[in-house]
Amino acid sequence: MIEKTEFPHFMLKEIFEQPQALERTIVSRVGLSEGEVRIADEIHIDSAELRALRRIHIVASGTSRHAGMAGQYMFQELACLPADVDYASEFEYRNLPIGPEEITIVITQSGETADTTAAQRLAKRKGSRTIAISNVPDSTIAREADGVLYTNAGPEISIASTKAFTAQMAVLFLLAAYLAQVRQELDRENLREWIRELLAIPQKVRTVLECSELCRKLAEQFHRAEDFLFLGRAIHYPVAMDGALKLKEVSYVHAEGYPAGETKHGPNALIDEHLPVVVIATCDPRNAGSLLRYEKTVSDLQGFKKQSAKIVALASEGDREVSELADHTIFIPQAPELLAPILEMIPLQLFAYYVAVRKGLDVDRPRNLVKSVREE
Ligand code: BG6
């Protein structure tokens, strides 16, 4: 019997369990001094086959698909492997020619989602090897996969997924780093640096969790809003998507996640003093692409301000430019671009949670939703 212990809801307990969930998911799979990722005996696909890979397909539903969207950037950046991401419920309609030179990664907290089970079976029929990323040992999807990488987040009771999601992103990072290792895209020193940064993430999550009271105050201020826009560029776009989904799931508020660069093609018409805009505006100064994206996001913020939008920004610790432009700023510890999404998700989970609580809703069991949809 899983208890809420001192927490009022499972969702809040699970948000605060993320540092331990990440440590249990990461630590046993890396060797810092050796600069190596050790997951060969979990994925059961030999190095020769991994070196021959030309493409990765990622298939999932809901929050798990957002993890896959973040993984897409990790596979491209670390292993130079292109990756496609599909909704599990749409996968069959794409009729993709998938063959032995492509693996299909199936991401699922429960390991029982019907659409995702069907998608994995279809990929196998097409000749693709499959790797399942699941949080439930011996689940259907885990049993039917060629290889399994478990998130060790522990049982996730709240219908809205939080600790499983950040653990999924950590596993995807490990898999991308492992592929880079096997395909010799990264040398030992580079791998050692990435492993060092990954091992530092759980403690940085503990630091971000200190923004909980600020998130509660923001929820108090914005709990009557009927629409939200969440914006992020590149690997931060999946974070915007899941921040919007969390708010929809638990507080029944309409929220939309969007690539920040796309607002000028439509959503800008929505942005005025009545529409809170949550913008992920972090920056990894050691990453040239991140610096470029940051400049564009600052320019977006200046435009939104002219449109009198109420702006909540996520910015990197020490940033002064964004906090001058935003009405509210939540600071995120410095982290490499590919790992920042794990930290950025924390305040968005907390904000959604506190809006639902302020609205007096059943946070752990939102109406019309279930933890795992077992029929297509
Ligand atoms: C939904 C859950 O039913 O299924 C979401 O409410 C989840 O939280 C989605 O992301 C996919 O579930 P799973 O178990 O396949 O990750």
Side-chain angles (χ1 to χ4, degrees), residues 44-53 100-101 103 129 183:
H44 297 310
I45 299 179
D46 67 42
S47 300
E49 216 172 322
L50 296 176
R51 278 194 284 275
L53 278 186
E101 290 182 344
I103 54 169
R129 310 273 280 183
R183 297 164 62 92

Side-chain angles (χ1 to χ4, degrees), residues 61-64 108-111 113 116 159-161 249 370-373:
S61 305
T63 291
S64 297
T108 170
Q109 190 285 131
S110 64
T113 299
T116 312
I159 283 182
S161 183
E249 283 177 315
V370 293
K371 187 59 182 166
S372 175
V373 177

